[in-house]
Every structure is written in structure tokens, then in C-alpha cells.
Amino acid sequence: MPRLYVAVLLISLAILGAGCDTPPLADMVRAESALVRCRTGIIKQYASAEVEAGEVAMQKAREEMAYQQGRWSLLRKYDSADSLIAYARSLIQIAEDSAAVRRATAYAYAKSEIDDLGEDLSLWRKSLDQKLTLYGAEKLWTLAQMSQANAISLMTQEDLEGALESAQECREHLAALRDALNNHDVDEQERIRMARTWVAHTLENSRRNGNVAIIVDKEEKMLHVIDSGKKIKSYRCDLGFNAAYQKMFAGDGATPEGRYQVTKVVHSSRYFKALLLDYPNEDDKKRFAANKRSGRISQRAGIGKLIEIHGHGGQNKDWTDGCVALADRDMLDILKFATVGTPVTIVRKLEGFQ
């Protein structure tokens, strides 16, 4: 009996011993290292779900390894742990492959979008000129350009989502720029229409009442004296340093356009002699309020005042803060005709006037 018992025991141990295996530690280390690489960077960014699945599989593998390590050495079997590690590694590989494909797709899309923006910005740049400054167009284009540059920078940092957000900001600035250009075109047409009306009324009133009036042509930089509907004198004049624009707020350097009257003759002025105009009149105040409501000008802007026809002109440049400047000798000459109440019409362009 003792011999039989020993034999059975040896056979049982042999059978149990057949289940023992070498722990797959090397595979475990490689899988853990791969998982560490996936936890940050592009793989985590573009394949987070696949990475999470790999984490779950690795956790099960760790638990199985720990379980087997805790058993009696003759009873340890690592088949299941080995399978779990292999499964985790396959999920990690899927995460790496998926991230690479998605990143390449996103990069190509972002690059295409930003390249298109570069072309759009160049086209917009060609359509701009300095006369759009007061419409905020230059500022909008600059903001768009900054957003595009930021998008390019983010692309180089592999932040494609941020790059696309910046690209969208650029598109929004360009849309606002388009609105500014449209507003400018509408305003130009309105200015031409109003100028024709003002000049016609000025000439008709002068003709009908037999009085003197003044018309200033900003584009030609000429001041004309009208008597009984006919031009009797013309002088070269200097204007505000932003003469091409309709005046919108104090300090913009624009010479206002509209129908005014001389309210005061100043014989001792900082600029030799001066004819003070009734700027801002009711039309100016309405336009100023409308521009504030539309957001075209700041809520803190002021409308300005002290617009004059004065001396110290003849400099062949636009240098005033919005006034009309004549050479001193011409200023002396015009004072022979103009007095308090003289109508003064200022237009951007005097069309069809001889």
C-alpha cells in the first residue's frame, strides 16, 4: 500500500506539474510600455476609446498575473494571462493605427482649410485701400491675418482642433470684413446722391436769392465762391488729414460733408483768420447717432466741433483736423464775399460743375 500511495502521488504531481508555465513577463513589460506611449500625445487625442479598451484588457492581464503568482508554484498556469496580454497589445496596436489614420485625415483637412484662408486673405488684401480705415476694414483684415497665423502655429504643435478653431475665427473676421465693404459701397453711392442734391439746392438758392454761397470740392481740393448761382472765384485748399472720408467722430481728421452756414467771422485766429461753420448741424447729429447705434463708431466717441474755413493753407497737403484751409492771401480775398449766414456746401466730389 505505501508503494501504491507514493506512485499515485507522483503521478498526480506529474499531471499538476504539466500545467506550470513561465510567466510572460517580457510580453507584459512590452505591453505596459506601449500603453504608456498611448496615454498621452496623438494616440490619446485621436483614439481615446481604443486606448481605454487597451487599459481594461491590461488590467485584466495584471490581475490574472497576480492571481497566478499567488498560487502554489506547481499549480501556476499563465495561459490566460498570456492571452489577455496579447489581446491588450492588439487593442493598443489598433489604437496606434486608428490615431495615425485620423490624425492624417484631420491634418489634411486643416491644411487645406488654412491654405484656402491664405488665398482668401491675399484676395481681400488686394481689395482694401486706406479709405476703408474708418469702417474698421483694415482692423478686421489684420485680425483675420492674426487668426490665420495662429492656426498655422497650432498646426505645427499638432493641435489641429485648435488650428481649425482659429481658422473659423479667421472666416468670421472675413465675413465681418465683407459687411464693412458692402457698407462702404452703399455709403459711397449715398454720398454721391446727396452731393448732387446739396449742390443743386445751393446753386438754386444762390440764383433765386442773388446771394453768395461757397462750395468745397474735396476731391479736387477746390473752394468755389458762388454769386447768384454762378462761380466767380476758385481757390486751392487744404483739408483734414483724412479728407477722403465723411466725418464720423471727433479726432478722425475727416472734413465733414453737408450743407452749413458761417456762424462767426474770426478776424484774429490761431490760423490767421477764420469762418466758423455750424458743424455739427442736425444732419450730422442724426448720422452720428445712427453710426453709434450700428456700432460703426465707439460709444465713447464725440461728434466734434470748431470746423472752420481758415488761413495758413496753401501747403499742398491735407493737414488740418477737418477744417478747410486757404492760403492767407486767399483767406483775405474770400472775406470780401463771405459773412455770417453765408451758405457753405462741402461735397466729396463736385460732378458736372463748371
Side-chain angles (χ1 to χ4, degrees):
M1 288 299 290
R3 289 184 178 176
L4 178 60
Y5 176 77
V6 171
V8 171
L9 180 60
L10 291 173
I11 292 171
S12 298
L13 289 173
I15 293 172
L16 290 171
C20 293
D21 201 355
T22 302
L25 295 177
D27 289 343
M28 190 81 173
V29 170
R30 283 193 288 269
E32 292 283 12
S33 297
L35 195 55
V36 168
R37 292 197 302 272
C38 291
R39 288 188 182 122
T40 58
I42 292 173
I43 300 174
K44 178 67 174 179
Q45 181 179 355
Y46 290 100
S48 59
E50 289 84 348
V51 172
E52 185 176 349
E55 292 271 16
V56 172
M58 277 303 299
Q59 181 58 31
K60 290 180 178 177
R62 294 186 198 105
E63 292 171 358
E64 179 62 19
M65 281 283 287
Y67 171 70
Q68 295 299 333
Q69 293 289 70
R71 301 179 73 188
W72 182 34
S73 60
L74 293 177
L75 297 178
R76 292 173 187 167
K77 295 182 67 175
Y78 293 99
D79 294 348
S80 181
D82 196 39
S83 297
L84 286 171
I85 292 170
Y87 178 59
R89 291 187 64 184
S90 69
L91 292 178
I92 293 168
Q93 185 62 52
I94 290 172
E96 292 173 340
D97 294 343
S98 299
V101 171
R102 292 169 190 164
R103 185 264 177 190
T105 302
Y107 186 89
Y109 175 71
K111 186 174 187 308
S112 173
E113 176 67 6
I114 292 171
D115 287 347
D116 289 346
L117 278 177
E119 295 177 6
D120 288 351
L121 282 170
S122 296
L123 292 174
W124 279 111
R125 177 69 268 175
K126 292 176 182 176
S127 71
L128 295 177
D129 56 41
Q130 291 186 347
K131 66 185 178 183
L132 293 174
T133 300
L134 292 184
Y135 293 83
E138 289 282 353
K139 179 181 178 181
L140 289 169
W141 189 88
T142 301
L143 289 174
Q145 187 183 39
M146 291 173 62
S147 296
Q148 185 220 20
N150 191 43
I152 294 172
S153 174
L154 290 171
M155 273 196 69
T156 63
Q157 301 171 43
E158 291 292 344
D159 185 357
L160 300 187
E161 185 176 347
L164 287 174
E165 288 180 0
S166 291
Q168 179 59 32
E169 288 179 1
C170 180
R171 290 286 183 203
E172 292 171 0
H173 291 315
L174 289 179
L177 175 57
R178 185 181 300 108
D179 291 342
L181 287 169
N182 290 337
N183 289 335
H184 168 72
D185 292 341
V186 170
D187 285 355
E188 281 294 290
Q189 293 302 315
E190 179 63 14
R191 288 171 71 184
I192 292 172
R193 187 186 69 79
M194 291 301 299
R196 289 172 177 163
T197 302
W198 294 336
V199 170
H201 287 173
T202 301
L203 294 174
E204 175 58 26
N205 288 341
S206 175
R207 184 163 41 246
R208 184 173 62 247
N209 300 322
N211 60 5
V212 169
I214 293 172
I215 298 177
V216 176
D217 182 344
K218 290 172 56 174
E219 184 163 297
E220 296 296 328
K221 303 185 189 307
M222 294 296 295
L223 184 151
H224 306 285
V225 177
I226 311 298
D227 190 358
S228 301
K230 295 183 180 179
K231 180 173 63 178
I232 61 171
K233 288 276 188 177
S234 295
Y235 309 95
R236 293 289 301 175
C237 61
D238 303 334
L239 301 170
F241 58 83
N242 277 323
Y245 318 135
Q246 168 63 296
K247 191 168 188 63
M248 297 181 74
F249 56 89
D252 62 8
T255 299
E257 298 168 17
R259 299 182 68 189
Y260 303 100
Q261 286 190 333
V262 175
T263 58
K264 185 178 182 181
V265 178
V266 184
H267 292 286
S268 180
S269 165
R270 177 184 178 187
Y271 301 103
F272 185 53
K273 297 181 183 295
L275 299 169
L276 180 65
L277 306 185
D278 60 341
Y279 175 89
N281 59 24
E282 291 304 313
D283 289 340
D284 297 318
K285 293 175 183 176
K286 290 178 182 177
R287 181 170 51 250
F288 180 73
N291 286 333
K292 268 197 172 182
R293 286 195 299 271
S294 68
R296 184 176 292 181
I297 59 177
S298 168
Q299 291 297 315
R300 292 181 294 181
I303 192 170
K305 59 182 180 180
L306 297 177
I307 298 298
E308 301 175 329
I309 299 172
H310 59 58
H312 291 357
Q315 301 183 28
N316 293 320
K317 63 180 181 180
D318 292 326
W319 55 274
T320 76
D321 290 331
C323 295
V324 178
L326 298 175
D328 290 351
R329 63 179 181 281
D330 295 335
M331 195 66 211
L332 282 174
D333 200 35
I334 199 174
L335 287 176
K336 298 175 184 175
F337 309 100
T339 185
V340 173
T342 296
V344 177
T345 298
I346 305 174
V347 296
R348 182 182 66 88
K349 180 176 176 58
L350 193 57
E351 295 181 322
F353 181 72
Q354 300 296 323

